[in-house]
Amino acid sequence: LLAQGQQVVGVDNLSPYYSVELKQRRIAELTGDQPAGNGSFEFVEADIADRPAMDQLFAEHEFDQAVHLAAQPGVRYSLENPSAYVDSNLVGFGNLLEAARNQQWKHFVFASSSSVYGANRQVPFSVDHSVDHPINLYAATKKANELMAHSYSHLFDLPTTGLRFFTVYGPWGRPDMAVWKFTEAILAGRPIDVYNRGQMERDFTYVDDIVTGVVTVLGSPPDSMDADSADPSSTGPNSAGAGPPYRIYNIGNNQPEPLEKLIATIESALGEKAERNLLPMQPGDMLRTYADIDTLHRDHGFQPSTPLEEGIAAFVDWYQSYRNE
């Protein structure tokens, strides 16, 4: 966005859920040497669930659009600290919807999650499938976000787009996710925890592909639907019939990979073997994720282009450089 010449304000509460130092380093990447273009970046440390802080932010800044990625992430942590998910993912989301309504944003793009598919066994996961059976609180809050956004789109003609992310990985990624945890453990000579004895698949999606999709979608806000423009075969959130300017898309690699392939790819990139600690399935986990991206491709031309081997190599190169600084 900065390279496009956009004026960007980033908001984060720098939660200690994982390394605050990593988060500060990410911010430094944006506040340091600016990319080519006429963009500018300002960082505001604030919690989106803090209504007075949000009132102050929106009193001082008039926005025309937003990409909402701030949330309490993680499936397993939701078993330990559910209130964090209620505060950030529900209260915080509501605060942003109110800002979108009051400032009449041209487009509000927000992160949903592949977790909303929950107990669904039909693959690939399609936005036409039911997502009424979440199997963890994180997924339930993301489904709630989709419903909240739909109501605001309907009531206030607010253009909103929800993107169901599928296992995003890459440089500057989260330390609580498998790619980072496996890489760190292998280099330290520690066993890696492999849940369900490795019998799992994930639609790993490289961060550059995700960014391309998000920025493309942001630039194309949805129009209100009518029976002539919508897909008559759809039964999901983008279904036929008159509707508000609201869309939901899967954004993933459209290619699930076995967990064992991920481990082997990391081993190859590191030139070291992993010692596996085989464990049972964790509560709230999904056996397989697989994104049907046909609607995102049809409406926005989205097509991921980064194979797992290339993405893992890029992450490992970044990780080793980051740890050696």
Side-chain angles (χ1 to χ4, degrees):
L1 291 173
L2 293 175
Q4 292 178 356
Q6 302 278 4
Q7 315 302 306
V8 181
V9 175
V11 179
D12 197 277
N13 66 352
L14 299 183
S15 159
Y17 168 69
Y18 65 82
S19 170
V20 173
E21 188 269 341
L22 172 65
K23 298 179 180 187
Q24 291 170 331
R25 290 280 299 277
R26 292 192 192 124
I27 295 165
E29 289 286 304
L30 298 172
T31 55
D33 295 332
Q34 299 288 351
N38 298 317
S40 67
F41 180 78
E42 175 187 349
F43 174 67
V44 174
E45 183 175 350
D47 190 330
I48 61 170
D50 182 342
R51 185 169 297 165
M54 291 299 96
D55 289 344
Q56 180 178 347
L57 172 71
F58 296 118
E60 296 174 352
H61 298 84
E62 187 77 21
F63 299 102
D64 59 359
Q65 56 188 355
V67 179
H68 173 47
L69 308 175
Q72 175 59 56
V75 171
R76 297 181 188 114
Y77 186 62
S78 67
L79 303 175
E80 304 170 21
N81 189 8
S83 61
Y85 294 77
V86 172
D87 293 344
S88 181
N89 301 6
L90 298 179
V91 176
F93 193 83
N95 288 339
L96 292 184
L97 283 174
E98 271 297 282
R101 167 196 179 185
N102 293 330
Q103 295 192 343
Q104 298 183 316
W105 293 350
K106 292 187 298 184
H107 200 185
F108 180 42
V109 176
F110 65 93
S112 186
S113 169
S114 60
S115 296
V116 300
Y117 289 103
N120 180 36
R121 296 298 178 91
Q122 184 180 353
V123 292
F125 295 161
S126 166
V127 292
D128 290 333
H129 293 167
S130 170
V131 290
D132 293 337
H133 301 94
I135 57 176
N136 59 70
L137 180 61
Y138 171 68
T141 63
K142 287 300 184 178
K143 170 61 175 175
N145 289 168
E146 295 180 4
L147 296 173
M148 294 164 71
H150 184 277
S151 68
Y152 270 69
S153 290
H154 173 77
L155 291 169
F156 309 114
D157 201 34
L158 173 67
T160 61
T161 300
L163 297 174
R164 294 173 177 170
F165 288 15
F166 279 70
T167 316
V168 185
Y169 74 98
W172 298 104
R174 294 205 331 254
D176 64 320
M177 295 186 71
V179 171
W180 183 304
K181 289 166 68 176
F182 289 171
T183 300
E184 183 177 59
I186 293 169
L187 287 174
R190 301 194 311 267
I192 61 173
D193 289 339
V194 181
Y195 294 103
N196 203 41
R197 305 182 68 84
Q199 302 303 304
M200 302 170 71
E201 292 186 349
R202 289 289 183 270
D203 200 339
F204 297 102
T205 314
Y206 189 62
V207 64
D208 286 13
D209 292 327
I210 289 286
V211 168
T212 298
V214 171
V215 173
T216 300
V217 167
L218 180 65
S220 301
D223 297 320
S224 296
M225 288 187 288
D226 57 40
D228 295 327
S229 64
D231 180 356
S233 65
S234 174
T235 58
N238 308 330
S239 58
Y246 167 87
R247 300 291 187 277
I248 294 291
Y249 297 107
N250 291 331
I251 183 166
N253 201 47
N254 191 225
Q255 183 174 333
E257 303 281 9
L259 188 57
E260 275 297 331
K261 180 178 178 181
L262 172 70
I263 296 169
T265 304
I266 295 173
E267 289 176 327
S268 177
L270 292 173
E272 297 189 33
K273 289 292 183 180
E275 179 185 348
R276 292 157 173 77
N277 181 26
L278 302 180
L279 298 170
M281 191 74 167
Q282 291 289 287
D285 267 359
M286 301 168 68
L287 282 172
R288 190 185 199 202
T289 63
Y290 181 1
D292 179 339
I293 59 171
D294 286 353
T295 54
L296 186 56
H297 177 74
R298 180 196 68 203
D299 293 351
H300 297 282
F302 175 77
Q303 187 63 50
S305 61
T306 310
L308 185 66
E309 294 80 4
E310 181 181 325
I312 291 298
F315 171 79
V316 167
D317 285 347
W318 170 84
Y319 178 86
Q320 292 176 318
S321 173
Y322 176 78
R323 285 305 190 199
N324 290 333
E325 289 182 4

mmCIF file of all heavy atoms in Angstrom, residues 207-225:
data_model
loop_
_atom_site.group_PDB
_atom_site.id
_atom_site.type_symbol
_atom_site.label_atom_id
_atom_site.label_comp_id
_atom_site.label_asym_id
_atom_site.label_seq_id
_atom_site.Cartn_x
_atom_site.Cartn_y
_atom_site.Cartn_z
ATOM 1 N N VAL A 207 2.711 -15.823 2.273
ATOM 2 C CA VAL A 207 2.258 -14.482 2.636
ATOM 3 C C VAL A 207 2.207 -13.532 1.440
ATOM 4 O O VAL A 207 1.298 -12.691 1.340
ATOM 5 C CB VAL A 207 3.135 -13.902 3.771
ATOM 6 C CG1 VAL A 207 4.577 -13.723 3.332
ATOM 7 C CG2 VAL A 207 2.541 -12.605 4.308
ATOM 8 N N ASP A 208 3.129 -13.628 0.491
ATOM 9 C CA ASP A 208 3.108 -12.725 -0.662
ATOM 10 C C ASP A 208 1.856 -12.921 -1.506
ATOM 11 O O ASP A 208 1.284 -11.956 -2.037
ATOM 12 C CB ASP A 208 4.354 -12.928 -1.532
ATOM 13 C CG ASP A 208 5.603 -12.341 -0.889
ATOM 14 O OD1 ASP A 208 5.564 -12.005 0.298
ATOM 15 O OD2 ASP A 208 6.640 -12.240 -1.592
ATOM 16 N N ASP A 209 1.420 -14.181 -1.636
ATOM 17 C CA ASP A 209 0.179 -14.443 -2.366
ATOM 18 C C ASP A 209 -1.010 -13.849 -1.634
ATOM 19 O O ASP A 209 -1.921 -13.267 -2.243
ATOM 20 C CB ASP A 209 -0.018 -15.953 -2.549
ATOM 21 C CG ASP A 209 1.004 -16.565 -3.496
ATOM 22 O OD1 ASP A 209 1.428 -15.871 -4.446
ATOM 23 O OD2 ASP A 209 1.369 -17.734 -3.300
ATOM 24 N N ILE A 210 -1.015 -13.984 -0.309
ATOM 25 C CA ILE A 210 -2.086 -13.404 0.504
ATOM 26 C C ILE A 210 -2.136 -11.889 0.336
ATOM 27 O O ILE A 210 -3.212 -11.301 0.128
ATOM 28 C CB ILE A 210 -1.890 -13.762 1.992
ATOM 29 C CG1 ILE A 210 -2.171 -15.251 2.241
ATOM 30 C CG2 ILE A 210 -2.754 -12.880 2.879
ATOM 31 C CD1 ILE A 210 -3.628 -15.629 2.207
ATOM 32 N N VAL A 211 -0.983 -11.241 0.409
ATOM 33 C CA VAL A 211 -0.933 -9.775 0.308
ATOM 34 C C VAL A 211 -1.465 -9.319 -1.044
ATOM 35 O O VAL A 211 -2.256 -8.364 -1.129
ATOM 36 C CB VAL A 211 0.503 -9.267 0.539
ATOM 37 C CG1 VAL A 211 0.613 -7.798 0.154
ATOM 38 C CG2 VAL A 211 0.910 -9.467 1.992
ATOM 39 N N THR A 212 -1.051 -10.004 -2.104
ATOM 40 C CA THR A 212 -1.539 -9.655 -3.441
ATOM 41 C C THR A 212 -3.060 -9.738 -3.497
ATOM 42 O O THR A 212 -3.733 -8.844 -4.026
ATOM 43 C CB THR A 212 -0.927 -10.586 -4.495
ATOM 44 O OG1 THR A 212 0.494 -10.422 -4.508
ATOM 45 C CG2 THR A 212 -1.479 -10.288 -5.886
ATOM 46 N N GLY A 213 -3.614 -10.802 -2.910
ATOM 47 C CA GLY A 213 -5.062 -10.957 -2.899
ATOM 48 C C GLY A 213 -5.763 -9.890 -2.088
ATOM 49 O O GLY A 213 -6.779 -9.321 -2.525
ATOM 50 N N VAL A 214 -5.242 -9.598 -0.910
ATOM 51 C CA VAL A 214 -5.868 -8.607 -0.032
ATOM 52 C C VAL A 214 -5.887 -7.227 -0.696
ATOM 53 O O VAL A 214 -6.913 -6.530 -0.706
ATOM 54 C CB VAL A 214 -5.149 -8.537 1.327
ATOM 55 C CG1 VAL A 214 -5.654 -7.354 2.153
ATOM 56 C CG2 VAL A 214 -5.339 -9.831 2.103
ATOM 57 N N VAL A 215 -4.750 -6.817 -1.254
ATOM 58 C CA VAL A 215 -4.666 -5.486 -1.865
ATOM 59 C C VAL A 215 -5.564 -5.398 -3.098
ATOM 60 O O VAL A 215 -6.218 -4.372 -3.339
ATOM 61 C CB VAL A 215 -3.203 -5.150 -2.214
ATOM 62 C CG1 VAL A 215 -3.116 -3.854 -3.010
ATOM 63 C CG2 VAL A 215 -2.375 -5.032 -0.939
ATOM 64 N N THR A 216 -5.623 -6.470 -3.870
ATOM 65 C CA THR A 216 -6.503 -6.483 -5.048
ATOM 66 C C THR A 216 -7.963 -6.350 -4.639
ATOM 67 O O THR A 216 -8.719 -5.556 -5.216
ATOM 68 C CB THR A 216 -6.299 -7.781 -5.854
ATOM 69 O OG1 THR A 216 -4.940 -7.865 -6.281
ATOM 70 C CG2 THR A 216 -7.215 -7.813 -7.067
ATOM 71 N N VAL A 217 -8.370 -7.112 -3.628
ATOM 72 C CA VAL A 217 -9.754 -7.050 -3.156
ATOM 73 C C VAL A 217 -10.073 -5.667 -2.593
ATOM 74 O O VAL A 217 -11.157 -5.111 -2.845
ATOM 75 C CB VAL A 217 -10.004 -8.139 -2.091
ATOM 76 C CG1 VAL A 217 -11.322 -7.908 -1.360
ATOM 77 C CG2 VAL A 217 -9.993 -9.524 -2.733
ATOM 78 N N LEU A 218 -9.138 -5.091 -1.840
ATOM 79 C CA LEU A 218 -9.368 -3.782 -1.232
ATOM 80 C C LEU A 218 -9.717 -2.745 -2.290
ATOM 81 O O LEU A 218 -10.571 -1.879 -2.057
ATOM 82 C CB LEU A 218 -8.125 -3.340 -0.446
ATOM 83 C CG LEU A 218 -8.210 -1.983 0.248
ATOM 84 C CD1 LEU A 218 -9.271 -1.985 1.340
ATOM 85 C CD2 LEU A 218 -6.846 -1.599 0.833
ATOM 86 N N GLY A 219 -9.080 -2.839 -3.439
ATOM 87 C CA GLY A 219 -9.307 -1.858 -4.504
ATOM 88 C C GLY A 219 -10.585 -2.065 -5.286
ATOM 89 O O GLY A 219 -10.891 -1.267 -6.189
ATOM 90 N N SER A 220 -11.345 -3.124 -4.965
ATOM 91 C CA SER A 220 -12.578 -3.423 -5.709
ATOM 92 C C SER A 220 -13.726 -3.706 -4.750
ATOM 93 O O SER A 220 -14.112 -4.868 -4.547
ATOM 94 C CB SER A 220 -12.360 -4.629 -6.632
ATOM 95 O OG SER A 220 -11.317 -4.389 -7.547
ATOM 96 N N PRO A 221 -14.278 -2.680 -4.130
ATOM 97 C CA PRO A 221 -15.380 -2.906 -3.178
ATOM 98 C C PRO A 221 -16.590 -3.509 -3.871
ATOM 99 O O PRO A 221 -16.854 -3.220 -5.041
ATOM 100 C CB PRO A 221 -15.678 -1.505 -2.633
ATOM 101 C CG PRO A 221 -15.101 -0.559 -3.634
ATOM 102 C CD PRO A 221 -13.931 -1.247 -4.244
ATOM 103 N N PRO A 222 -17.337 -4.356 -3.173
ATOM 104 C CA PRO A 222 -18.502 -5.006 -3.783
ATOM 105 C C PRO A 222 -19.671 -4.048 -3.945
ATOM 106 O O PRO A 222 -19.811 -3.079 -3.200
ATOM 107 C CB PRO A 222 -18.834 -6.118 -2.788
ATOM 108 C CG PRO A 222 -18.353 -5.601 -1.473
ATOM 109 C CD PRO A 222 -17.119 -4.800 -1.787
ATOM 110 N N ASP A 223 -20.489 -4.348 -4.933
ATOM 111 C CA ASP A 223 -21.748 -3.638 -5.120
ATOM 112 C C ASP A 223 -22.865 -4.456 -4.489
ATOM 113 O O ASP A 223 -22.709 -5.636 -4.190
ATOM 114 C CB ASP A 223 -22.044 -3.451 -6.610
ATOM 115 C CG ASP A 223 -20.996 -2.589 -7.302
ATOM 116 O OD1 ASP A 223 -20.556 -1.598 -6.682
ATOM 117 O OD2 ASP A 223 -20.619 -2.918 -8.441
ATOM 118 N N SER A 224 -24.009 -3.831 -4.313
ATOM 119 C CA SER A 224 -25.186 -4.575 -3.876
ATOM 120 C C SER A 224 -25.557 -5.596 -4.942
ATOM 121 O O SER A 224 -25.424 -5.339 -6.141
ATOM 122 C CB SER A 224 -26.365 -3.636 -3.631
ATOM 123 O OG SER A 224 -26.084 -2.757 -2.568
ATOM 124 N N MET A 225 -25.986 -6.773 -4.503
ATOM 125 C CA MET A 225 -26.338 -7.836 -5.427
ATOM 126 C C MET A 225 -27.810 -7.774 -5.791
ATOM 127 O O MET A 225 -28.643 -7.321 -5.017
ATOM 128 C CB MET A 225 -26.053 -9.203 -4.795
ATOM 129 C CG MET A 225 -24.586 -9.544 -4.686
ATOM 130 S SD MET A 225 -24.341 -11.231 -4.112
ATOM 131 C CE MET A 225 -24.827 -11.104 -2.395
#
